[in-house]
Amino acid sequence: MRNLILTPTQARVRMNLGQFAEDAVIVDNVPRADTNLHFIEANTQEVSINHLANECITPVFAKDNELTINHAQFIEAIAAATNDFFRGETIDSPNVRVSHVIKGRTPEAIHKKANELLESEKTIYYERCAFSIDVPTIYETVEGNKLNLSIVGVRAYNQMNLYSRKSPELFRLAIGFKNQVCCNMCIFTDGYKDNLRVSNLSELYNGALELFHNFNPAKQIHLLQTLGNTTMSEHQFCQILGRMRLYQCLPISEQKQLPRMLLTDTQINSVAKSYINDENFCGTGGELNMWKFYNLLTGANKSSYIDSFLDRSLNATEMAIGINMALHGNERYKWFID
């Protein structure tokens, strides 16, 4: 089994995903995804890097008043690493989403009423930020769906202790494929750093390069393609949803004996509704293939808050691959289909 590893010098050769990939189509002008679709939704809003850099304050570590790496610097460092690693490819501008705005005011306006504040006297920053950077010239087609290579970053100040002295800061970074039909993210273990702790921008840049180098796109595409080869009945689909609902009610000791399942009750309900109503991934004729099931999971995950988005993206992959194997007799995920 030949593994394809991306390196900075491979350029267009990366478009050939080897024996794992099938029916590849190479074009020069690649249309972008529907701008009305977002890779994450929940309570987020779209902002520009300029807004983050010039209109938002930068939080500090309280005990020594040392600056954190702000959201704009995070995005710019990963964008620089992406452009350097994938030199020769088309790199889209970052799509930035933020949530949980933290409002303040300048010192001279401290005694004013809120409705008397001038715009120049207001300060804001966002507790959570996520972004995606697409590489549209690296793509593949799975089950009729075009997948673009995409880099996703997440930063959440609520997962750090800003009341302490300066310490390595936490970032999350992933590289995987984005389904252009729905902007669902396909994240695998080798394309995800869930605990990237750095002290400066240089370490952040190098961490991104290391992730890109270790990512194996051919293996991921191969696994995604195999999902379309397995079909479940509507009865099995309902059985899985019921087990997913039951999982969350189990004692922690019993949950630890099973593969993890991170989707919430609301998201499981969303999977059920989409099975009936989703024009791209609904069940037809009482059957559902595992590729569609996977996209029902990743579609439901788009309602996650920013700080849990990538963990649940990876878990959606784990669940889809695991249940697919269980349908072929593997024991690890058998509980979900029994």
Side-chain angles (χ1 to χ4, degrees), residues 130-241:
F131 68 90
S132 70
I133 301 173
D134 282 4
V135 186
T137 48
I138 301 178
Y139 69 96
E140 185 54 275
T141 300
V142 175
E143 290 290 303
N145 299 155
K146 182 180 177 183
L147 309 182
N148 278 2
L149 189 70
S150 186
I151 291 89
V152 181
V154 163
R155 176 70 180 288
Y157 283 119
N158 63 302
Q159 296 176 332
M160 295 170 48
N161 182 10
L162 294 180
Y163 297 100
S164 67
R165 296 187 182 278
K166 184 173 177 63
S167 58
E169 300 178 46
L170 174 64
F171 298 86
R172 288 185 168 89
L173 189 63
I175 179 172
F177 286 91
K178 180 190 293 182
N179 191 337
Q180 295 302 99
V181 169
C182 50
C183 286
N184 294 354
M185 287 300 308
C186 306
I187 302 298
F188 281 61
T189 304
D190 71 340
Y192 181 33
K193 281 184 176 288
D194 66 341
N195 190 28
L196 180 58
R197 293 188 179 272
V198 303
S199 298
N200 53 58
L201 291 173
S202 178
E203 292 177 359
L204 188 56
Y205 173 91
N206 290 333
L209 291 183
E210 181 182 3
L211 177 66
F212 300 161
H213 179 75
N214 292 332
F215 175 60
N216 189 337
K219 181 178 179 181
Q220 181 176 141
I221 288 294
H222 171 64
L223 288 172
L224 293 175
Q225 288 173 334
T226 61
L227 293 177
N229 299 330
T230 302
T231 301
M232 71 172 75
S233 67
E234 185 169 275
H235 175 79
Q236 288 173 315
F237 174 74
C238 294
Q239 176 76 19
I240 291 167
L241 289 192

Side-chain angles (χ1 to χ4, degrees), residues 40-45 97 99 301-306:
I40 184 172
E41 295 166 346
N43 64 336
T44 61
Q45 66 183 86
R97 312 285 298 182
S99 70
N301 178 53
K302 289 165 70 174
S303 67
S304 294
Y305 282 158
I306 284 174

Side-chain angles (χ1 to χ4, degrees), residues 11-208:
R12 300 288 177 179
V13 177
R14 291 194 299 272
M15 296 297 292
N16 178 10
L17 297 183
Q19 67 187 46
F20 297 126
E22 300 172 0
D23 301 323
V25 179
I26 302 175
V27 299
D28 293 325
N29 297 314
V30 183
R32 297 191 64 172
D34 186 341
T35 54
N36 293 321
L37 298 174
H38 305 292
F39 71 100
I40 184 172
E41 295 166 346
N43 64 336
T44 61
Q45 66 183 86
E46 185 171 3
V47 298
S48 67
I49 297 180
N50 180 68
H51 169 69
L52 293 176
N54 299 313
E55 298 175 18
C56 296
I57 63 171
T58 299
V60 300
F61 289 94
K63 287 194 175 180
D64 51 17
N65 204 29
E66 289 286 342
L67 289 171
T68 62
I69 297 172
N70 64 41
H71 296 325
Q73 292 172 321
F74 173 34
I75 298 167
E76 289 167 349
I78 303 307
T82 301
N83 279 278
D84 289 345
F85 191 91
F86 296 104
R87 188 175 292 112
E89 304 291 352
T90 298
I91 312 293
D92 284 348
S93 300
N95 177 6
V96 185
R97 312 285 298 182
V98 295
S99 70
H100 296 76
V101 60
I102 308 297
K103 297 180 179 180
R105 57 178 69 188
T106 57
E108 57 270 18
I110 195 169
H111 297 297
K112 283 190 175 183
K113 295 179 180 179
N115 61 3
E116 296 175 345
L117 289 173
L118 303 175
E119 287 302 313
S120 60
E121 296 171 330
K122 299 177 183 178
T123 66
I124 63 167
Y125 74 91
Y126 301 94
E127 184 182 79
R128 306 173 197 185
C129 174
F131 68 90
S132 70
I133 301 173
D134 282 4
V135 186
T137 48
I138 301 178
Y139 69 96
E140 185 54 275
T141 300
V142 175
E143 290 290 303
N145 299 155
K146 182 180 177 183
L147 309 182
N148 278 2
L149 189 70
S150 186
I151 291 89
V152 181
V154 163
R155 176 70 180 288
Y157 283 119
N158 63 302
Q159 296 176 332
M160 295 170 48
N161 182 10
L162 294 180
Y163 297 100
S164 67
R165 296 187 182 278
K166 184 173 177 63
S167 58
E169 300 178 46
L170 174 64
F171 298 86
R172 288 185 168 89
L173 189 63
I175 179 172
F177 286 91
K178 180 190 293 182
N179 191 337
Q180 295 302 99
V181 169
C182 50
C183 286
N184 294 354
M185 287 300 308
C186 306
I187 302 298
F188 281 61
T189 304
D190 71 340
Y192 181 33
K193 281 184 176 288
D194 66 341
N195 190 28
L196 180 58
R197 293 188 179 272
V198 303
S199 298
N200 53 58
L201 291 173
S202 178
E203 292 177 359
L204 188 56
Y205 173 91
N206 290 333

Side-chain angles (χ1 to χ4, degrees), residues 306-318:
I306 284 174
D307 55 349
S308 59
F309 174 71
L310 284 179
D311 284 336
R312 289 181 181 158
S313 291
L314 175 61
N315 186 237
T317 300
E318 294 170 339

Side-chain angles (χ1 to χ4, degrees), residues 286-298:
E287 291 187 335
L288 183 75
N289 72 29
M290 289 302 299
W291 169 250
K292 290 184 177 181
F293 176 72
Y294 178 46
N295 278 277
L296 294 181
L297 297 184
T298 54

